[in-house]
Amino acid sequence: MTLWLVIIGTCAGCYLLKLAGLSAPRRLLDHPAVRRFAMAVPVALLAALIAVQTATDGGRELALDPARLGGMGAAAIALLLRAPFLVVLVAAAGVAAGLRLLGL
Amino acid sequence: MGIAVGLSGLAFGAAAVTAGLSVAQACVLSLLAFTGASQFALVGVIAGGGSLTAGAAGALLLGARNTLYGLRLADMLPWRGPRRLVAAHGVIDETFAGAIAQRTPADARASFVTVFAAIYLTWNLTTLIGGLATERIGDTDAFGLDAMGAAVFLALLAPRLREGRREVGVALLAAVIALAAVPFLPPGVPILLASAAALVIPGGRAAASPAADDGGPSEQEVRP
């Protein structure tokens, strides 16, 4: 029951956070500092998500998993070669799964 | 992108059920929260033995980036009333990345609607399948799905890094801040803290006229 309440609360909160951004006063974005921040924030957040997902154990502590690092390396190489999105993902998953199969 | 989201949805359904949620609870999260990183954060904390409060807080902190996406998208999606209420539900990483890659507001709207509809259907269907099939799938890490989750974010970030040195600086600083904070802060918080990187690095001309920077990085921009 508690779990259900937490789930419903999380859903409501996530929705209101989305709505708040779309409904914020337009003037806010006319401010150069706010605009600059809003442009750069997704880059910062995506980079942080990548770092945390790649080099930690579920965000709890730093952990370098060789297979996951190998998968990310493969994805980075595929992106440098301008490979299509799907190829990038298959390369990441394939290399990580392959390295785990080898016992890494 | 559809197949990638589908695989992520399978992974989420499996992770949620492994963490002790029912299939119905996993599906409600995908239907109503509909923001993958937050959902993974919630079930990740629950699976790791963290408190429900910590899990919800982590999910909401991660969900706060959708507020920032919404601020940027408001110019391109000028809907009011019920249409805005529906559109708000679709403000996520993928719809944001798709919309801002378009050249005109009309293209941005079309991209937003298409990507939202496709991902909503795929994400919810695959959450259901992943939850139901968890016993068969077993350890999703064996299929490299954990590396693929991060690769999705890397693929979303890559085009932004080609825009100039400022973006690369912001990204590197954010990654360093997040990793440095991980041992000291609850899951989810380091990622929000890293958004401070966007404040620290000076913006050059991009602030006054974003269009002026389309030609490439400027020499005056950033030396962090």
Side-chain angles (χ1 to χ4, degrees):
Chain A
M1 192 59 216
T2 316
L3 183 54
W4 267 116
L5 288 178
V6 169
I7 285 170
I8 297 300
T10 302
C11 290
C14 284
Y15 176 73
L16 291 175
L17 285 167
K18 294 174 181 175
L19 185 62
L22 270 193
S23 309
R26 189 71 56 86
R27 291 192 310 280
L28 212 57
L29 268 190
D30 289 340
H31 199 287
V34 175
R35 180 178 285 274
R36 192 164 61 216
F37 184 63
M39 302 267 286
V41 153
V43 173
L45 284 170
L46 286 171
L49 279 167
I50 293 163
V52 168
Q53 291 201 358
T54 304
T56 74
D57 166 25
R60 285 182 294 275
E61 54 193 83
L62 299 179
L64 293 178
D65 175 83
R68 199 160 55 216
L69 287 176
M72 286 305 285
I77 291 168
L79 282 167
L80 285 174
L81 296 174
R82 310 257 170 157
F85 190 71
L86 187 58
V87 173
V88 174
L89 300 193
V90 169
V95 168
L99 289 174
R100 288 209 173 100
L101 208 60
L102 294 173
L104 283 174
Chain B
M1 186 174 275
I3 295 174
V5 169
L7 288 171
S8 306
L10 286 176
F12 173 73
V17 172
T18 306
L21 274 67
S22 66
V23 173
Q25 286 168 331
C27 288
V28 165
L29 273 171
S30 283
L31 284 166
L32 300 182
F34 186 54
T35 175
S38 295
Q39 295 176 228
F40 272 111
L42 177 63
V43 304
V45 172
I46 293 173
S51 73
L52 292 177
T53 317
L60 292 178
L61 286 169
L62 269 176
R65 76 191 184 292
N66 292 329
T67 307
L68 299 163
Y69 293 159
L71 274 177
R72 271 276 272 145
L73 288 174
D75 274 345
M76 308 168 197
L77 310 174
W79 294 313
R80 295 280 175 275
R83 297 181 78 181
R84 180 196 274 169
L85 294 180
V86 174
H89 201 39
V91 177
I92 55 169
D93 297 321
E94 291 86 351
T95 51
F96 173 76
I100 64 165
Q102 308 304 316
R103 293 196 170 273
T104 70
D107 286 349
R109 277 192 291 280
S111 163
F112 180 87
V113 170
T114 312
V115 175
F116 178 20
I119 290 188
Y120 195 74
L121 287 174
T122 311
W123 180 246
N124 283 291
L125 188 64
T126 52
T127 297
L128 176 64
I129 296 171
L132 291 174
T134 296
E135 287 87 1
R136 283 169 192 273
I137 291 176
D139 180 12
T140 53
D141 281 4
F143 293 85
L145 289 188
D146 55 332
M148 191 158 60
V152 171
F153 292 126
L154 189 62
L156 288 173
L157 178 63
R160 305 297 306 275
L161 293 185
R162 295 192 187 108
E163 287 170 14
R165 251 176 287 170
R166 171 164 192 251
E167 281 73 11
V168 175
V170 168
L172 289 177
L173 183 62
V176 169
I177 292 174
L179 289 182
V182 158
F184 308 105
L185 294 172
V189 181
I191 288 164
L192 264 212
L193 184 67
S195 65
L199 282 177
V200 174
I201 301 216
R205 291 178 304 145
S209 55
D213 270 30
D214 281 352
S218 131
E219 284 302 313
Q220 299 163 303
E221 259 175 12
V222 209
R223 292 289 155 83

